Amino acid sequence: QVQLVESGGGVVQPGRSLRLSCAASGFTFNTYPMHWVRQAPGKGLEWVAVTSYDGNNKYYADSVKGRFTISRDNSKNTLSLQMNSLRAEDTAVYYCARSGVAGTGVCCYMDVWGKGTTVTVSS
Amino acid sequence: DIVMTQSPDSLAVSLGERATINCKSSQSVLYSSNNKNYLAWYQQKSGQPPKVLIYWASTRESGVPDRFSGSGSGTDFTLTISSLQAEDVAVYYCQHYYSTPYTFGQGTQLEIK
């Protein structure tokens, strides 16, 4: 079945780096835009980044621009999020999500979500 | 950036009654070239990832009960649950995907009265 499984979360000190991964299965990964969305403890959802199906187009939330990099390896059906210069406010559950429409730039809504991986930034 | 504002922040409705959640965008999310509203609704139950209920403002996702419906256009949208069931207790979010950043509303907590 269609599945997304995130990994790589953990506890990290402010200013350090962490790399999240998302393993996709059950669908043709290289035809879908993919997103990262996060949720701070007890808070709402925050869209983080999106990459086009081919990885050529990437967009970020202002809160992470210049610090986070989204990437994908279509040969391995894997989405990644490289997080540098981490701050306390980056503490959240990070979800990987599939766009609901294949092959449409960086659109659209998210129709498949992973269970999330928790990142805690603390000294 | 487009700001999404939901109302109310929380809502308590009796079982079997109608629940209505509103979402307003700071600018239109209607794409004139295809006449589609780039607006989705999600349900998030405690301890679970979000689940898409409605996209293109009014298209129900496969498998979503027909008591859930979406309406509206331009900047004003509504999610309606026609007859509230116990399993509908959750936080509901609207989100636009008109242009990046794809912002969410702050969420509406729905409870049973």
Side-chain angles (χ1 to χ4, degrees):
Chain A
Q1 74 279 22
V2 175
Q3 193 172 12
L4 298 171
V5 179
E6 302 93 338
S7 60
V11 180
V12 61
Q13 293 179 328
R16 303 298 290 265
S17 299
L18 203 61
R19 186 177 183 88
L20 306 183
S21 295
C22 172
S25 59
F27 66 99
T28 308
F29 180 72
N30 63 7
T31 63
Y32 286 87
M34 295 293 296
H35 303 261
W36 286 100
V37 175
R38 69 183 180 182
Q39 187 168 35
K43 303 297 185 183
L45 301 170
E46 180 186 15
W47 176 83
V48 172
V50 63
T51 177
S52 58
Y53 69 96
D54 57 4
N56 287 340
N57 294 289
K58 305 172 185 182
Y59 298 90
Y60 300 90
D62 287 346
S63 58
V64 307
K65 200 174 295 182
R67 299 188 300 123
F68 289 13
T69 301
I70 188 172
S71 62
R72 63 192 299 159
D73 185 339
N74 285 342
S75 68
K76 296 181 178 178
N77 290 352
T78 300
L79 178 73
S80 298
L81 186 68
Q82 177 66 41
M83 305 186 294
N84 298 333
S85 303
L86 282 161
R87 306 167 179 167
E89 53 265 36
D90 296 319
T91 295
V93 175
Y94 284 74
Y95 296 103
C96 161
R98 187 185 81 169
S99 175
V101 183
T104 53
V106 293
C107 187
C108 288
Y109 59 92
M110 297 130 197
D111 70 337
V112 179
W113 295 67
K115 294 189 188 313
T117 187
T118 300
V119 173
T120 302
V121 184
S122 173
S123 53
Chain B
D1 298 358
I2 299 174
V3 177
M4 308 300 290
T5 303
Q6 293 180 225
S7 62
D9 289 336
S10 63
L11 182 62
V13 175
S14 300
L15 290 173
E17 297 299 304
R18 178 184 299 261
T20 300
I21 299 170
N22 299 302
C23 175
K24 188 174 184 68
S25 57
S26 60
Q27 64 188 74
S28 176
V29 297
L30 173 63
Y31 213 154
S32 56
S33 62
N34 59 12
N35 201 36
K36 286 187 172 185
N37 287 283
Y38 283 53
L39 189 284
W41 289 96
Y42 300 86
Q43 175 193 65
Q44 186 178 32
K45 296 182 178 179
S46 181
Q48 296 183 18
K51 170 188 171 184
V52 67
L53 298 174
I54 303 285
Y55 53 91
W56 304 125
S58 60
T59 301
R60 196 180 305 114
E61 172 74 331
S62 175
V64 172
D66 61 7
R67 63 180 181 273
F68 291 91
S69 63
S71 62
S73 184
T75 61
D76 292 278
F77 301 91
T78 300
L79 174 70
T80 301
I81 307 172
S82 60
S83 177
L84 190 70
Q85 305 299 303
E87 60 266 32
D88 300 335
V89 169
V91 179
Y92 292 83
Y93 295 93
C94 62
Q95 182 218 9
H96 83 86
Y97 44 98
Y98 182 86
S99 60
T100 59
Y102 296 150
T103 47
F104 290 87
Q106 79 277 19
T108 296
Q109 174 72 60
L110 177 59
E111 299 174 338
I112 306 295
K113 186 187 293 183

